[in-house]
Amino acid sequence: MNYREEALSYHQRGRKGKIEVVTTKPCITQRDLSLAYTPGVAEPCRDIEKNPDDVFNYTAKGNLVAVVSNGTAVLGLGDIGAAAGKPVMEGKGVLFKRFADIDVFDLELDTHDPDEIIRTVKMLEPTFGGINLEDIKAPECFYIEEELKKQMNIPVFHDDQHGTAIISGAGLLNALEIAGKKIEEVKIVFMGAGAAGIACAKFYIELGARLENIIMLDSKGVIYKGRKEGMNPYKEMFAQETDLRTLEEAMQDADVFAGVSVANVITKEMVKSMADQPIIFAMANPDPEITFEDAKAARDDVIMATGRSDYPNQANNVLGFPFIFRGALDVRATQINEEMKIAAAKALAALAKEPVPYSVMKAYRSQHLEFGPDYIIPKPFDPRVLLWEASAVAQAAIDSGVARQKIDIDAYKEQLEDHLGLSRHVMRVFINRAKKAPKRIVYPEGEHEAILKACEIILDENLAYPVLLGRKDVIEEKLDKLHMNIMKGVEIIHPKASPNIDSYAKKLYSMRKRKGLVESEAYQWIRNYSTFATMMVEMGDADGLVAGLTQHYSDVIRPALQIIGVRPDVHRVAGMYMMILKDQIYFFADATVNIEPTAEDLAKIAIMSANTVRRFGVEPKIAMLSFSNFGSSRHPLADKMCQATELVRQFDMNLLIDGEMQADTAVVPDIIEDVFPFSELAGKGGGNVLIFPNLEAGNIAYKLLQRLGGAVAVGPILMGMRKPVHLLQIGGNDEIDIVNMTAIAVLDSQSEDESMRGQSSIDLLVNHGD
């Protein structure tokens, strides 16, 4: 299938197009219907009539943007009409939703009359929280936006103008820093004097560029004082007193080229004629003004950005509009002003200098991304863009006086994580609890880049005091390569050179001498990083251990069992996963350690799971899973789960548990309430702690839910150890997983403090677990 066929199939298959409307409230029963529509809907109507601002509380207006176009300048296709432009506008809606969780209605207006567009959009103000103008040709687009901004009290933003300007502006700030040049001194050549070109030039001036240093060209050549052909008031702003007439002449000794025109207008010779370390932003789509290969062939010192994803430094508008509108909507801004645009650009420029998460490199199939000539703009799939840019825009709106709602920006950054999914919110709750009493956590794989990146987040959050095992020179070299400065916040210990190695070896020997360990072996064992780290925890030199990126579970668990051991009330350890879906949280056990547990083992796993879940602030509701429902199948495997249930009840009559039951009975409230109303879980919303009959079932279930159901798996959370030891998945490189497990290790360590046990449960987790 060629690319055209693939694109057509993408839009046509299944439900036609790319968007749909999904309800956010239930409409299943007669009661639901009466609340959603008449007569219940009259109540919010009455409140909004009395207080118009209540529209933000009772309707979707505060999260709803109109994407408005008349189809007169669609991509590089030109004036193709409103209907033909609809796929683009639907696509815009997809990007708003995917990157900033903003809902969109796309509105294609079949008119070329600017005043008709203005009148129509103005009448839509009661419906929408913001207006995104799209693919409207110049110069009409300037007039339409200017008038709507004057007449409307909600944000109006023409993305073709300002999106390109903001993203390329962020890239320009970083490119100039790399080149060692000042924005107020550089000579800038613009090719293209339409909506994007003029907006970019204006924005670069806002960033510090000087009008007299800008040469702008259109299809007729240089825009100069006195030129008559193809001029309009917007181009006239950039007319210069100059003898330059051609692009070739303008490029001589230029520091910066910004193109939003057509393909292949720049030659290698023009690039060679530019100043040292030239900056070329060839942003024509789909083909740039010069290819990346040709520009690099002409000058190896060129810093280049394009509009394409297959070249470095893509100036992609999706880095702008979703996050700008997110920040503007959340403070109920009356407009998107220059201060907010500058804040967005500077936030993006600053983010590009931060170490890039593994998850981002994985999404782009890149081995390494770091600030430099080939990475001056963040990637759209970097989840941090939402947190950095939206919060910067919101703060700028507050500071510049256009925000109708003042907010605490630090709290807002945490709220933004909700838009990234329940998993981010849940872990934010855990991190906030953990950071109230940070603990000393040791990482045996301290030389691993993912551990180092995680430590930067851990230190920023004040979550823990990291201890890295490894060679100091190797760690320092990697930190330098990653442009990270965390040496003051971490402790580095090389086990083989540690002054504690003798005392640790003697302690190990004393613990294992009657279990076959000779003294010389103890000295060999303790040089192993995992063994050394485990002994640190045992000796009280660390409060917890997090490991497993380069080791199998057994290689981490074995020394932990040999040195630390299990709690006095525990027969064997078990592993649990927290499975986070879009709006639910479940806990699966055992999915890591016990292959074929007995009824007694399962009862103890259930009790350990309940205690662990409570420590996280969630009230456990345990379902003992089988292929049978409450004796429907008489079989030893089903009997085992029933026996385990009774054993748990004998241990703790107040623990909410039932079984044996099938998986859907456990998680679908209607089944357990309608078919098995006698169950302890009936009327309780079903189970949230699922105990599997064996490791095979548990492991298969969590991996299927993770891969096919889109759940986020946090774990394995090792239960039953006398001191905190927690595992990472072998081969994992995502620093966020390491941060999450560190938070759990800190919480585990805190649990020994009675004051932490008395802390109230986390309402959000309880609600989602119901």
Side-chain angles (χ1 to χ4, degrees), residues 391 395 407-417 428:
S391 61
Q395 184 67 68
I407 60 174
D408 179 295
I409 291 297
D410 290 333
Y412 176 56
K413 288 178 182 178
E414 295 191 6
Q415 292 168 14
L416 284 170
E417 297 205 47
R428 168 54 53 193

Side-chain angles (χ1 to χ4, degrees), residues 174-237:
N174 282 339
L176 289 171
E177 180 178 325
I178 293 167
K181 299 180 179 182
K182 296 180 179 179
I183 192 169
E184 65 270 17
E185 296 175 358
V186 293
K187 177 185 174 183
I188 305 174
V189 174
F190 279 94
M191 184 66 200
I198 288 175
C200 284
K202 286 183 176 180
F203 190 67
Y204 290 6
I205 291 172
E206 292 284 345
L207 292 175
R210 291 180 176 167
L211 176 60
E212 60 268 27
N213 292 339
I214 293 174
I215 298 293
M216 183 173 286
L217 298 93
D218 61 9
S219 60
K220 309 299 182 184
V222 172
I223 296 172
Y224 58 89
K225 291 287 187 183
R227 198 184 99 170
K228 304 297 183 186
E229 187 179 12
M231 294 296 288
N232 61 50
Y234 304 100
K235 293 181 183 180
E236 195 66 50
M237 295 168 56

Side-chain angles (χ1 to χ4, degrees), residues 439-446 448 451 454-455 458 463-464 466-469 529-530 533-534 537 542-551 556 564 715-716 723-729 734-748:
K439 299 293 182 178
R440 187 173 160 89
I441 305 299
V442 61
Y443 304 88
E445 296 142 323
H448 199 291
I451 296 289
C455 281
I458 289 164
L463 173 60
V467 180
L468 305 176
L469 299 193
Y529 284 18
S530 289
T534 306
V537 176
D543 298 307
L545 181 154
V546 174
L549 287 181
T550 60
Q551 307 169 77
V556 179
I564 295 174
K723 295 185 177 182
V725 175
H726 288 289
L727 306 175
L728 300 169
Q729 296 208 32
D734 193 336
E735 58 270 27
I736 299 301
D737 292 340
I738 300 166
V739 174
N740 291 345
M741 293 311 299
T742 299
I744 288 171
V746 172
L747 287 173
D748 202 3

Side-chain angles (χ1 to χ4, degrees), residues 133-191:
L133 300 173
E134 193 75 20
D135 291 349
I136 301 172
K137 72 181 182 69
E140 290 89 338
C141 62
F142 301 120
Y143 168 65
I144 292 169
E145 187 190 39
E146 289 169 2
E147 286 301 312
L148 286 174
K149 289 178 75 172
K150 291 177 189 175
Q151 297 180 32
M152 300 185 77
N153 206 33
I154 58 174
V156 178
F157 185 82
H158 184 204
D159 185 50
D160 301 300
Q161 293 182 59
H162 311 299
T164 305
I166 291 165
I167 310 312
S168 66
L172 179 64
L173 293 174
N174 282 339
L176 289 171
E177 180 178 325
I178 293 167
K181 299 180 179 182
K182 296 180 179 179
I183 192 169
E184 65 270 17
E185 296 175 358
V186 293
K187 177 185 174 183
I188 305 174
V189 174
F190 279 94
M191 184 66 200

